[in-house]
Amino acid sequence: MRALFLSGPLAWPPLLDLVAGAPLSAGAKPAALDGARVQGAKCCFPPLLPMAGGRAEGLLIHVEAQEHYDRLSFFAETLGRAPVPKHLDDGRAAVAFMGTGTPNAQARAFYIADWAARWGSLALLAATEIMGYFGHEPAGALHWRVQMILARAGARIAASQAAPARLRSDTAAEDVMETTRRDSHAGFFVTREYELRHPGFDGQMSPLLRREVFVATDAAIVLPYDAARDRVLLVEQFRMGPYGRGDPRPFVLEPVAGRVDAGETPEDAALRECKEEAALDLAGLEHVTSHYCSPGCSTEFYHCYLGLADLPEKGQGCGGVATENEDIRTHVLGFEQALRLITTGEANVGPLVLMLLWLQRERARLRAIA
């Protein structure tokens, strides 16, 4: 039997029981650890860090089954936490899963109820995917994929806010009869296989269908536009899609784009990506459209914006985040020159074409108020 001190998200009973694979929270007792603190609640899984003068509230559990301990350890290691022997404030010995890093004494205190209200649903979805790898992949191989796992969970939550169904069928997803589901590939990206039957327009269920879907995240896409000077900024980079298709020129022109991280709004992501990829601080955003990019085979969902900005005079620049291996060249050009890229075919990325045509329609309005 092992005594474990669980704090932060793992002290939330629904998450604890999901990760452990058993209702361990039923036997948990309140406990506290001095000399440590859960580092705020600005992320889904804030760590427990050593901190002089700190105090962490949590739960003490006694784990009898090896599998339950292994599951909790797997989850903790996936998040970069390590088991450390500790003595609780009442002298009892227990193992705590500790993170690394320097705590911020000014950070907001962690309150489990506040955290659960903000992050609970997302944490359960992310933990479900993480624990699906238990027994199949080592935790160390998952650590670098956690942000994508969280982003996929965030996208699934966002998808629950369905668009209207006034013309199209309002048939619900619950009416689909799913027979099997399995992940045929799970790396940075996930490919999922389904066997299912769906309701048809004739009122009958379809034959059994076998389908694959690329499980991606939501993305924020921004076309920066300087209305006063009537010019736009495009980014250029190497892309695997054209390369994998056999395109002899796999470098493409695009708007600024990036993943919507867990806990971000699409607008937050749009502002962050413009800063990272083009060193731009936007003056405002205009929503263009939100849509699936390839609904036949991908879950990826685009949130497209026009970004109002003062654009630099220089024609070319550079951007990107080195830690993400981004190698980006930026281009500033007049609107008419950018629009001609559609005619020549050099603009061959869907969001860029769509957003340039939208800007063509809205340009007079934007220029009038610049």
Side-chain angles (χ1 to χ4, degrees):
M1 181 181 295
R2 293 180 174 89
L4 293 180
F5 172 73
L6 303 177
S7 63
L10 268 179
W12 186 46
L15 183 64
L16 167 57
D17 294 344
L18 186 155
V19 171
L24 299 189
S25 63
K29 303 296 183 184
L33 175 64
D34 291 328
R37 182 181 178 184
V38 178
Q39 188 62 72
K42 289 188 176 181
C43 64
C44 187
F45 296 121
L48 175 66
L49 300 175
M51 179 178 171
R55 180 180 172 86
E57 304 287 341
L59 299 176
L60 178 66
I61 65 171
H62 292 88
V63 182
E64 296 184 8
Q66 183 66 40
E67 181 182 356
H68 299 159
Y69 176 80
D70 290 344
R71 288 175 63 92
L72 289 164
S73 295
F74 175 85
F75 184 76
E77 186 180 349
T78 296
L79 299 179
R81 322 304 197 233
V84 180
K86 293 288 184 180
H87 283 90
L88 304 183
D89 64 342
D90 59 5
R92 288 177 293 179
V95 169
F97 295 114
M98 305 291 296
T100 58
T102 303
N104 178 5
Q106 306 305 315
R108 181 183 174 188
F110 180 88
Y111 297 101
I112 193 71
D114 293 344
W115 173 88
R118 172 69 179 84
W119 296 100
S121 296
L122 193 146
L124 291 175
L125 282 174
T128 298
E129 179 174 344
I130 290 171
M131 296 313 299
Y133 301 119
F134 176 71
H136 303 287
E137 296 194 43
L142 291 178
H143 181 62
W144 65 277
R145 287 152 52 180
V146 167
Q147 292 307 310
M148 281 296 288
I149 291 172
L150 287 167
R152 280 193 288 269
R156 192 164 186 85
I157 291 173
S160 66
Q161 306 300 314
R166 299 188 181 95
L167 174 63
R168 62 180 178 146
S169 170
D170 65 354
T171 302
E174 290 79 4
D175 296 328
V176 176
M177 297 174 58
E178 188 177 309
T179 305
T180 61
R181 176 196 301 195
R182 74 179 188 91
D183 292 347
S184 55
H185 169 78
F188 192 69
F189 298 112
V190 169
T191 302
R192 187 163 294 154
E193 295 181 358
Y194 292 88
E195 290 187 353
L196 53 79
R197 291 182 170 90
H198 66 78
F201 294 120
D202 61 359
Q204 304 299 313
M205 295 300 290
S206 72
L208 183 66
L209 304 175
R210 293 176 175 84
R211 296 290 185 264
E212 295 183 354
V213 65
F214 180 76
V215 184
T217 68
D218 287 9
I221 303 178
V222 190
L223 180 65
Y225 177 59
D226 187 330
R229 300 173 181 86
D230 197 27
R231 56 195 182 201
V232 299
L233 180 143
L234 309 181
V235 300
E236 178 187 359
Q237 58 188 314
F238 172 81
R239 286 302 205 185
M240 280 301 302
Y243 179 78
R245 180 173 177 257
D247 193 321
R249 294 192 175 94
F251 285 77
V252 297
L253 297 169
E254 301 175 89
V256 172
R259 179 182 72 221
V260 179
D261 286 332
E264 274 190 317
T265 65
E267 294 81 4
D268 289 340
L271 296 172
R272 174 178 54 77
E273 289 292 342
C274 280
K275 186 71 173 177
E276 292 176 358
E277 293 194 358
L280 287 178
D281 290 311
L282 298 183
L285 289 168
E286 290 225 0
H287 182 249
V288 176
T289 179
S290 293
H291 63 272
Y292 288 98
C293 65
S294 187
C297 62
S298 175
T299 69
E300 193 166 25
F301 195 79
Y302 289 164
H303 301 273
C304 299
Y305 301 92
L306 189 82
L308 303 175
D310 291 324
L311 295 180
E313 297 287 347
K314 60 184 178 182
Q316 291 183 346
C318 61
V321 179
T323 56
E324 298 180 10
N325 296 313
E326 290 182 328
D327 180 26
I328 293 173
R329 181 163 64 176
T330 61
H331 301 265
V332 176
L333 59 161
F335 171 76
E336 294 294 348
Q337 181 184 358
L339 194 64
R340 284 195 294 272
L341 296 173
I342 300 177
T343 303
T344 65
E346 193 168 356
N348 59 359
V349 172
L352 176 57
V353 174
L354 180 155
M355 295 167 81
L356 285 173
L357 293 176
W358 183 91
L359 180 54
Q360 183 182 36
R361 187 189 73 182
E362 301 293 330
R363 179 171 164 233
R365 173 182 64 85
L366 293 167
R367 298 207 70 196
I369 61 177

